[in-house]
Amino acid sequence: MNNKDYFLALLRASLWQESITGGVIAPPVCRSLVTMAKKQTVLGLLSDVLLAPENSFQIDKRSVIDLLVAQQMIVKQNQRADQVLVELCQLLRVHAIEFIVVKGQLLAQYYPCPQYRQSGDIDFYCDDRNFMRAKDVIQSEWGVTFSVEDDESEQHIAFDYKGVPFELHFCLLKFTSKRVQMAFDKMLNDAQPFSIDVAGCAVPTLPPVENLIFTFLHLYHHFVELGIGLRQLCDMALLIHAHANLLSQPECAHRLHQLLQQLDFLPGFNAFGAVCVQALGLPKADYPLVLSSADESYVNDILRVVFARGNFGMHGRKHAVRSGLAYYVETMKIKLHHYMRFYRLSPTENRAVLWHGLPRKIVAAFKR
């Protein structure tokens, strides 16, 4: 078993809280596993399984200390993120501002040990009626400074509060295809109220079917643009597992299938579902749709990108700094390759990107 396969086996043991045969892990191998975990933003999950006494792993003292320190940092980051998320909910509710929160701390609640999921920013969405009110209240009450990244200016504004990054969205996802955008916006507008408990606070979010589709669409968008880490795939797998009973009901399975067809992302959803089953150990009985051999044929190619690019495509590039012509030329080549290789997974959106989206970005890059 090579290090990559061993790494996935350890990850599966953490995700499903399964026992795994321990033993001696040589320092170079341990360092390689930690490097992979950092690149894939699953260091908390790796430390969980390697440090569990019942697994009886024998690791050098330096690695044990490093894992313990990293684990505690991730736990503290989650505690801080949960705290400010509760503050956000309280603030917006006091001012009667409607909102939903997605990803991050909410998806962590589906993990066996939520505190070991590495936290990122807190994403929340307000519609046209509530966006400016939310911005004004947050600016007034918290004294934050908003910023806009060029690449995301059509989706959100960002700010930091108590050391935690936030993104206030006026658009949850931006598609190049008008048809896909209309289908997504309709799905969002038709979604029924739902909440997830975080630190004793009922946090409003998308209901299970819509949340699963959004979680997939978000990871898929980043995947074809530059890449993703295994953390995003773990989110999808655990979300499916948590709602397996609901998703197995004919009306829910039909709704999931129908919405994915309307978005024209059904092949993509199943391809990544196959990764969740084959690589991450999601029980096949939990998966709500039928996986074909065509879906499963994408597993190795998807994993190749995931391991090469890492979290949000931050690795495997010559030009890491997000500026300059060389950076934009390199990223455009990566995107073009991904959109063409995975064209069948979302043909309507990919066709719009290849014919309209990427040419516009190329022109914009040369004008910088």
Side-chain angles (χ1 to χ4, degrees), residues 291-309:
L291 292 174
S292 68
S293 57
D295 301 323
E296 294 169 345
S297 69
Y298 281 92
V299 170
N300 288 335
D301 280 350
I302 290 172
L303 287 176
R304 193 174 295 113
V305 173
V306 168
F307 277 99
R309 302 294 174 196

Side-chain angles (χ1 to χ4, degrees), residues 54-87:
E54 61 270 22
N55 291 333
S56 303
F57 282 104
Q58 298 176 46
I59 306 170
D60 65 284
K61 185 177 179 181
R62 180 71 257 172
S63 294
V64 170
I65 293 173
D66 290 343
L67 286 168
L68 282 169
V69 170
Q71 187 180 76
Q72 287 307 303
M73 286 182 62
I74 292 169
V75 170
K76 288 179 180 178
Q77 287 170 352
N78 272 300
Q79 290 172 341
R80 184 163 58 246
D82 286 348
Q83 176 190 339
V84 296
L85 174 57
V86 171
E87 287 188 48

Side-chain angles (χ1 to χ4, degrees), residues 36-49:
M36 275 191 277
K38 288 179 178 178
K39 188 175 177 180
Q40 301 297 326
T41 27
V42 291
L43 186 55
L45 302 182
L46 181 69
S47 66
D48 173 43
V49 68

